[in-house]
Amino acid sequence: MAPVPQPIPYQGSKRLLAQRILGFLPPDTGVLYEPFAGSGAVTLAAAAAGRAKHYVLSDALAPLIGIWELIRTDPERLCAGYAQLWTAQGASPRATYDACRADYNAAPDPIRLYFLISRCVKNAVRFNADGAFNQSPDTRRIGTHPDRVRHRVLQSHGLLKNARCYPRDYAQSLHDAAPNDVVYMDPPYMGVSGTRDRRYVQGLDLERFIAELDRANQRGVSYIVSFDGRCGDRSYGPGLPEHLKLHHLELDAGRSAQATLSGRAEQTFESLYVAPALLARLGSPALLARLEPQALTPAATPR
């Protein structure tokens, strides 16, 4: 199978874990919903493998969904807009970035956001308390070349023929999901997102999130959540509560790049929570058989 394109270089993308996550999609999956869309890594991987009949990408950040809608319906416009901003950098890339950021914050639009994501430090989107984009540019590079961007965008466009995109709250996807659908959610981890570290345009209300999952369980919704994780002996926030009766697994996400830079050899593990309704559709033996043994580490504490 050809490599799955990554048109939006979003920090925290599940691109490297996407194939493992696809192991939890039943063969009869009708619609795969991906709220908290970000890089859309799971949707693109699923579309490339034909794992669902339809796909729905959504996010609370409307300009981000605007990027996805351009990829889906007007990729040439997105590519041309990005190329214009990239070329305008010339000898003053910092000035171009700062002007783009100011223009975006004055009137948020998808093309400027796409350029900012490509050019900001570690592709790590940041917002201030007022919701303004405030991440600095990466001074070591000038962003992905427009030709490469165009190739990735057009590849992604070809995969999204059966997709829809909506700027909306994640709860709507849980509400819309039918019994044969699956909702994959990758919300901001509580350990790395909040009012002091705005990695997302809005933080996550954990109490509300748990309540929405509880309601989804009552309706028999099939969902998967990537939520907390750990690196070495450090945890990325609390796990989801036991009363939700979720099947909890840890996926080995490989060696931590940040730890390596600090001279430490530490593995990163990402938690995956599987809803009771989805577990019932798969059956426990089938679920475990779908995962490569080396890709699965049982969680230390059952949830």
Side-chain angles (χ1 to χ4, degrees):
M1 186 172 120
V4 178
Q6 185 186 16
I8 304 178
Y10 225 69
Q11 187 187 61
S13 168
K14 291 299 182 289
R15 181 172 59 93
L16 298 180
L17 293 176
Q19 294 300 326
R20 301 176 196 174
I21 293 169
L22 294 191
F24 295 93
L25 296 186
D28 66 342
T29 299
V31 181
L32 172 62
Y33 292 85
E34 189 172 4
F36 306 104
S39 70
V42 172
T43 292
L44 289 173
R51 296 303 303 273
K53 295 177 181 177
H54 301 280
Y55 305 88
V56 173
L57 283 160
S58 60
D59 200 280
L61 181 56
L64 175 63
I65 290 303
I67 295 172
W68 280 113
E69 187 64 8
L70 285 172
I71 292 173
R72 189 179 75 87
T73 63
D74 197 356
E76 294 293 356
R77 180 184 164 205
L78 178 63
C79 295
Y82 174 85
Q84 183 177 11
L85 288 166
W86 188 89
T87 303
Q89 294 179 103
S92 304
R94 178 60 191 256
T96 301
Y97 182 92
D98 288 347
C100 180
R101 185 174 61 185
D103 289 342
Y104 172 80
N105 286 331
D109 74 277
I111 292 175
R112 289 192 180 95
L113 178 61
Y114 193 53
F115 177 75
L116 292 172
I117 293 172
S118 176
R119 283 284 288 109
C120 70
V121 173
K122 298 179 181 179
N123 305 121
V125 175
R126 299 288 186 273
F127 297 89
N128 64 21
D130 296 322
F133 191 101
N134 67 347
Q135 181 62 293
S136 301
D138 191 329
T139 57
R140 301 166 302 171
R141 57 189 181 82
I142 60 171
T144 307
H145 192 279
D147 290 347
R148 183 172 296 178
V149 165
R150 186 172 185 275
H151 178 69
R152 293 172 180 171
V153 166
L154 292 181
Q155 276 189 307
S156 302
H157 168 74
L159 293 174
L160 297 177
K161 298 185 185 304
N162 295 322
R164 291 166 287 160
C165 307
Y166 301 109
R168 67 186 190 185
D169 183 77
Y170 68 89
Q172 189 64 51
S173 292
L174 288 170
H175 180 270
D176 290 349
N180 68 328
D181 299 335
V182 175
V183 183
Y184 170 71
M185 291 172 283
D186 183 21
Y189 293 175
M190 297 303 292
V192 298
S193 178
T195 55
R196 295 183 61 188
D197 185 5
R198 297 302 295 254
R199 302 192 183 202
Y200 297 80
V201 69
Q202 64 182 36
L204 181 73
D205 182 335
L206 181 57
E207 185 175 347
R208 178 186 172 231
F209 184 63
I210 292 171
E212 293 291 352
L213 297 184
D214 200 6
R215 278 190 281 271
N217 283 347
Q218 294 172 32
R219 293 182 51 243
V221 176
S222 294
Y223 64 83
I224 306 165
V225 184
S226 292
F227 191 61
D228 59 296
R230 62 184 174 87
C231 180
D233 58 0
R234 293 179 305 284
S235 176
Y236 301 136
L240 293 172
E242 292 183 11
H243 79 263
L244 292 174
K245 301 187 184 304
L246 306 177
H247 190 71
H248 179 209
L249 305 168
E250 283 188 333
L251 298 182
D252 186 348
R255 189 166 177 172
S256 167
Q258 188 62 44
T260 299
L261 290 173
S262 301
R264 304 188 307 274
E266 295 178 341
Q267 295 293 111
T268 298
F269 295 89
E270 301 249 3
S271 278
L272 206 67
Y273 295 85
V274 183
L278 179 55
L279 195 65
R281 286 171 66 186
L282 294 169
S284 286
L287 181 149
L288 295 176
R290 286 173 179 274
L291 294 173
E292 299 175 17
Q294 65 269 26
L296 175 65
T297 301
T301 305
R303 300 286 174 183

